[in-house]
Amino acid sequence: QVQLVESGGGLVQAGGSLRLSCAASGRISSFNTMGWYRQAPGKQRELVATITSGGITTYADSVKRRFTISRDNAKNMVYLQMYSLKPEDTAVYYCNADKYGSGWPPRRENYWGQGTQVTVSS
């Protein structure tokens, strides 16, 4: 298994930027998909962005052209660079590692971090 620890969340004004980091205890290259998901109060958890071991990325339509997911295999880190933040981006952001699948829905050897809070004020 792998442990995931997110950091970088905080309070930012609309239009601002944040970079979230996910530190993994194991080789992220051994997982088919790494990703970021978010959950706002009263809402279901939703996909933000994913990146496969082959470097293929996907994004939710709501964050395209504003967020960028990246990884550093040497450091076992995954990042989410967020620009032009909006109040509707406010949520707890979770890092995810999926050994064999695409991250969602959860399946065999799917792992989550504890989450980091992002709050965007207007």
Side-chain angles (χ1 to χ4, degrees):
Q1 63 179 41
V2 64
Q3 285 73 50
L4 305 171
V5 180
E6 302 97 331
S7 62
L11 176 64
V12 65
Q13 292 184 346
S17 302
L18 285 173
R19 189 173 80 155
L20 306 184
S21 298
C22 173
S25 64
R27 292 181 177 180
I28 63 172
S29 61
S30 70
F31 288 82
N32 185 63
T33 307
M34 302 295 297
W36 289 94
Y37 297 77
R38 67 187 182 187
Q39 188 166 21
K43 302 290 186 179
Q44 293 184 322
R45 190 169 299 187
E46 64 178 358
L47 179 147
V48 176
T50 63
I51 184 166
T52 70
S53 60
I56 304 299
T57 59
T58 62
Y59 296 92
D61 287 343
S62 60
V63 307
K64 285 182 179 177
R65 304 179 69 180
R66 297 190 298 119
F67 293 8
T68 301
I69 187 171
S70 62
R71 68 184 188 189
D72 186 332
N73 287 345
K75 297 180 179 179
N76 293 313
M77 297 285 290
V78 182
Y79 305 99
L80 185 69
Q81 179 65 60
M82 305 185 293
Y83 296 107
S84 301
L85 283 161
K86 304 174 181 179
E88 53 262 44
D89 295 318
T90 296
V92 177
Y93 284 70
Y94 297 92
C95 184
N96 176 267
D98 196 308
K99 188 76 169 182
Y100 304 108
S102 59
W104 189 265
R107 53 207 300 174
R108 185 171 181 265
E109 296 197 49
N110 181 278
Y111 305 95
W112 296 92
Q114 82 288 346
T116 185
Q117 177 72 48
V118 172
T119 303
V120 184
S121 65
S122 58

